[in-house]
Amino acid sequence: MSTGDFTLPGAWLCAAPAEAGHRVEVDYADLAPALDALAVSAGAEPFAVPAAAHIKVLNTLVEEPAFRTDVLPAGGREVRAMTVRPGAARTWRELVVQAGRALRAMPPAPGPDEGASRADRVLLAAAPDTAPATGRHGLCVGVSGAHTLILHAAGHIGAAGLDRLAVMYRRVLEAMAEAPDGDAVTTVLPDGERDAVLRRWAVGRTVTREPADVLELFRNQAARTPDAPAVRADGRALSYRELDEASTRLAHHLLAHGASPEVPVGVGLRRGPDLLPTLLGIWKCGAPYLPLDADLPRPRLRHMVSAAGCALIVTRSELLPALGPFDQGEYILLDRDRDAIDTAGLDPIDVPVGPADLAYVIYTSGSTGAPKGVMVHHGGLANYVLWTALEYAARGIGGSPHFSSIGFDLGVPSLFAPLVVGQRVDLLPDPLDAADLGGHLLAGAPYSFIKMTPGHLNLLSTDLEPEEAHGLAGLVIAAGDAFPVELARRWGELTGPGGTPVATEYGPTEITVGNSGQVVTRLPADGLVPLGLPIPNTAMYVLDDSLEPVPDGVPGEVYVGGAGVARGYLGAPALTAERFLPDPYGEPGARLYRTGDRGRWRQGRLEFMGRTDHQVKIRGYRVEPGEVRAAILRCPDVGDAVVTAYPGPSGAQRLAAFVVPAAEAGPDLSRVRAELAQDLPDYMVPADLRTVREIPLTANGKVDTHALRTRL
């Protein structure tokens, strides 16, 4: 990462800034003897101590591991540039040593970039009275004597932000004086802010629940309402009793064929009357299920079945051509085996299942060129489903429609939340033309809740009439992708006062579907809808590379923890160790999942700010461009490739691939597309393929994606 001028976070550049010349004084005369002794022991000049404090405060507010701040030395006439990489210093003494060295090696500061705001420049001045006179800086920090810092705002920084900065400088100087060999990595925040970003905002309420899994919750509900409708699909309806009995018969059949705990059973079914009896029947065997979407390419399905060690795959005869043969695993064909299943009996099945046991394994795109299987346990699933039952299903009595692939965990609450409260699951036709979605939803409305992607919500917002949208459901939830404020506002205008409200939900597959969400009641002026609050028994932090909390308003990486954290990636211990980390703020043994998402707190609202890596969402599915690139590089005549995402005409993300030929003739792009379609799901096949002679690079040597996108 290149080193550039320090830039204050946008949250500190308030709409109502302090008047130009506004200043705040930080007196530290009481700390001067200890700080002077620290400078002597570090072999540095006294000015190195406030310089070290300056470095620490700026480092707390910036994402980059290295940055540059301007410095006006004592008696100097020329502003110079100090470049620092504070992460190398573990103690305050080491940081002072580093500051002293940096001060001795400062070149003249470069002039401001053309059109750059003064807010983009920060100055540390040994002569406080001359600091504001430079006129080139949004913030000037002057050292007066040996015991006062004077912070000047140049009309860009809000008064509250300047006061917060002053508190941070004082806290850092106190820490340096108290323990010179103390921890210089820990974030130093104003009073109350550390508690807010680590507990008050970041941790959901603790709810003590019975140690029941979703299957047990369903069984209890079936005993209470045996004759209530549970599932409707293909013009057929199953009551709770019928669903319970059908799943028990299938479980006996699966047990007779060797189903066992912790060994995934593949499910290659479309949405139909067999789907829920199969999922519940697998759980009754104590086994997890593995979704196998028949629309996926055969090589991908074979990889999933092989990697998961499936011994059984449940499907129907008409889907065999799509699924194809597997190197392992026995097919259980529900139509062929119907007589055997129906006569399997209804004797109670008592296979113990614990909270840590696997509920399902679901595959997501992987950066290494192969999909990775996320292992979700029953405890995390029950915590999430019970939350959706209270927050979603309780908003009506009409249940929920399910219209996503079983390989997309966004639809998990639509499958199971209604079944734990006595409501109905509507399985919409499969396949389903997106143009017909509104009509099918209206036919089953009003629902308690409908969960969908923002893309689906956008479609409904143009297809439905106001009176149709008004009474569609007790709640619609837009999840699985970035949720634009404009879309939420448009939906609210369509439904009108008292109409179907919209909620947001956020969470990667590794946190068991979702770990935050809330009904949208107030919206920012533009951008994206905030991510919501952590659900019960989960946590959501914004941290830096050292797993330290970043201040309110400062971007960092989102880490999620609590009851929903998955066990890890199936058969990938190294990748699991990389992404699933010990939780330094949780109970002993607790873990965090590193999401790769950028976010920031804004007064208790968590804002999504994109990815820290190159991962993107396409039609709600998580896609690693690295996996797509790996597939392209396997095609003949391809020398290199770059895969990137860009917004299409509707604003939804699309994939583009730029291919460098291995030889003069170059690859046949239609053949490349055909080969990709054999290996990748359709949402991972780039919408645009272009041949380029070479990959353009920026001045920093990185791929110039902007230059590539101009060729589309």
Side-chain angles (χ1 to χ4, degrees):
M1 184 175 295
S2 63
T3 302
D5 291 332
F6 170 83
T7 301
L8 276 168
W12 296 63
L13 308 179
C14 301
E19 295 182 1
H22 180 73
R23 55 186 273 170
V24 176
E25 293 190 6
V26 181
D27 178 50
Y28 61 98
D30 57 318
L31 309 176
L35 295 177
D36 289 343
L38 172 58
V40 171
S41 67
E45 61 182 287
F47 185 52
V49 171
H54 182 68
I55 290 170
K56 176 60 180 178
V57 171
L58 297 195
N59 187 52
T60 304
L61 304 179
V62 72
E63 292 180 89
E64 289 77 11
F67 57 88
R68 183 175 58 228
T69 178
D70 288 351
V71 177
L72 185 63
R77 295 177 176 271
E78 182 181 34
V79 174
R80 309 188 75 80
M82 180 170 65
T83 299
V84 291
R85 188 176 294 271
R90 311 305 295 180
T91 68
W92 297 117
R93 195 185 312 276
E94 290 176 3
L95 188 60
V96 172
V97 170
Q98 183 187 86
R101 290 171 179 167
L103 288 170
R104 292 192 294 270
M106 295 188 297
D113 295 335
E114 184 177 351
S117 165
R118 285 185 299 167
D120 294 332
R121 305 291 291 269
V122 176
L123 175 70
L124 174 67
D129 294 336
T130 61
T134 65
R136 289 167 42 187
H137 300 87
L139 172 68
C140 298
V141 181
V143 181
S144 177
H147 49 77
T148 305
L149 295 180
I150 302 177
L151 279 60
H152 301 263
H156 296 277
I157 303 171
L162 197 63
D163 290 339
R164 287 178 65 201
L165 282 171
V167 171
M168 292 175 71
Y169 276 97
R170 172 69 192 191
R171 294 287 184 270
V172 170
L173 289 165
E174 288 173 345
M176 296 170 72
E178 181 179 350
D181 292 311
D183 183 7
V185 176
T186 300
T187 304
V188 180
L189 298 177
D191 287 344
E193 190 166 327
R194 189 176 183 89
D195 179 71
V197 299
L198 287 180
R199 283 174 286 277
R200 188 154 42 89
W201 301 340
V203 178
R205 60 192 176 92
T206 300
V207 176
T208 302
R209 295 190 170 114
E210 295 295 325
D213 53 54
V214 174
L215 175 62
E216 184 177 352
L217 294 170
F218 161 73
R219 283 169 157 162
N220 294 340
Q221 184 60 50
R224 289 191 294 268
T225 58
D227 298 320
V231 185
R232 186 168 62 183
D234 293 347
R236 292 175 52 192
L238 290 177
S239 68
Y240 273 80
R241 177 188 290 110
E242 290 169 329
L243 176 56
D244 191 24
E245 291 178 350
S247 61
T248 296
R249 292 190 181 97
L250 179 59
H252 279 293
H253 189 73
L254 294 173
L255 287 169
H257 284 76
S260 60
E262 294 294 290
V263 180
V265 175
V267 179
L269 294 172
R270 296 198 180 277
R271 294 185 298 271
D274 294 324
L275 179 59
L276 274 165
T278 298
L279 300 182
L280 295 174
I282 291 171
W283 282 347
K284 288 182 177 181
C285 299
Y289 68 82
L290 170 69
L292 299 172
D293 189 334
D295 292 329
L296 292 176
R298 284 187 181 182
R300 193 176 187 87
L301 292 171
R302 281 198 296 272
H303 170 82
M304 292 160 61
V305 169
S306 174
C310 285
L312 301 171
I313 299 103
V314 180
T315 187
R316 298 182 61 85
S317 297
E318 64 266 23
L319 293 174
L320 284 176
L323 296 174
F326 294 110
D327 297 331
Q328 64 184 64
E330 174 190 356
Y331 270 126
I332 302 295
L333 300 179
L334 296 179
D335 50 336
R336 181 198 65 188
D337 300 345
R338 179 54 55 194
D339 289 344
I341 294 171
D342 287 346
T343 58
L346 295 173
D347 293 339
I349 299 174
D350 185 21
V351 178
V353 173
D357 291 335
L358 284 183
Y360 59 81
V361 175
I362 192 166
Y363 275 81
T364 66
S365 180
S367 59
T368 59
K372 53 184 185 282
V374 181
M375 300 185 290
V376 174
H377 51 77
H378 280 286
L381 180 62
N383 186 71
Y384 172 77
V385 168
L386 284 170
W387 175 74
T388 59
L390 292 171
E391 297 294 328
Y392 298 169
R395 290 180 170 267
I397 59 173
S400 180
H402 179 75
F403 49 92
S404 62
S405 162
I406 61 170
F408 189 14
D409 65 342
L410 177 140
V412 163
S414 299
L415 283 175
F416 300 119
L419 296 183
V420 303
V421 295
Q423 297 181 15
R424 185 188 73 240
V425 177
D426 276 2
L427 299 175
L428 301 193
D430 188 1
L432 175 65
D433 191 321
D436 298 330
L437 176 60
H440 284 289
L441 293 178
L442 290 172
Y447 288 106
S448 299
F449 71 95
I450 305 172
K451 190 178 178 188
M452 62 188 75
T453 64
H456 284 133
L457 186 68
N458 183 59
L459 180 68
L460 293 180
S461 70
T462 59
D463 284 356
L464 299 184
E465 297 296 328
E467 61 273 13
E468 295 172 333
H470 183 88
L472 186 64
L475 184 69
V476 296
I477 304 100
D481 207 346
F483 186 9
V485 165
E486 185 276 331
L487 174 57
R489 185 175 291 115
R490 178 154 37 95
W491 178 258
E493 293 170 352
L494 176 68
T495 60
T500 303
V502 66
T504 182
E505 184 183 302
Y506 165 79
T509 297
E510 290 84 349
I511 193 62
T512 309
V513 189
N515 78 298
S516 71
Q518 63 188 36
V519 177
V520 177
T521 55
R522 53 192 182 100
L523 290 168
D526 52 25
L528 301 176
V529 175
L531 300 182
L533 301 173
I535 74 172
N537 303 322
T538 72
M540 187 161 59
Y541 306 108
V542 183
L543 308 176
D544 63 18
D545 288 343
S546 299
L547 298 187
E548 281 293 314
V550 298
D552 184 25
V554 176
E557 185 169 355
V558 179
Y559 289 74
V560 290
V565 177
R567 275 172 38 179
Y569 297 117
L570 184 66
L575 184 59
T576 297
E578 176 187 336
R579 305 300 295 187
F580 294 84
L581 309 174
D583 181 353
Y585 309 109
E587 298 293 327
R591 295 180 306 148
L592 292 177
Y593 173 68
R594 183 179 184 179
T595 69
D597 291 331
R598 291 178 70 241
R600 66 180 175 190
W601 289 110
R602 294 292 295 271
Q603 292 297 308
R605 293 156 65 91
L606 187 58
E607 297 179 347
F608 176 70
M609 301 181 67
R611 295 287 301 173
T612 62
D613 54 20
H614 300 291
Q615 191 182 95
V616 296
K617 283 288 187 76
I618 304 295
R619 288 163 27 200
Y621 291 90
R622 200 167 74 187
V623 174
E624 291 276 8
E627 183 178 356
V628 181
R629 178 175 181 268
I632 294 173
L633 294 178
R634 291 195 291 267
C635 297
D637 302 322
V638 172
D640 198 0
V642 170
V643 178
T644 186
Y646 70 99
S650 67
Q653 292 287 299
R654 295 160 59 101
L655 280 182
F658 301 89
V659 179
V660 178
E664 186 67 28
D668 180 345
L669 294 184
S670 61
R671 183 179 176 186
V672 170
R673 183 177 298 278
E675 298 230 358
L676 294 179
Q678 294 179 14
D679 289 341
L680 302 174
D682 60 347
Y683 60 85
M684 292 179 67
V685 177
D688 294 283
L689 279 170
R690 296 285 190 275
T691 301
V692 293
R693 294 181 61 85
E694 61 183 12
I695 302 299
L697 301 178
T698 67
N700 293 330
K702 298 182 180 181
V703 174
D704 191 341
T705 54
H706 176 74
L708 288 173
R709 289 169 188 161
T710 62
R711 306 184 189 192
L712 295 174

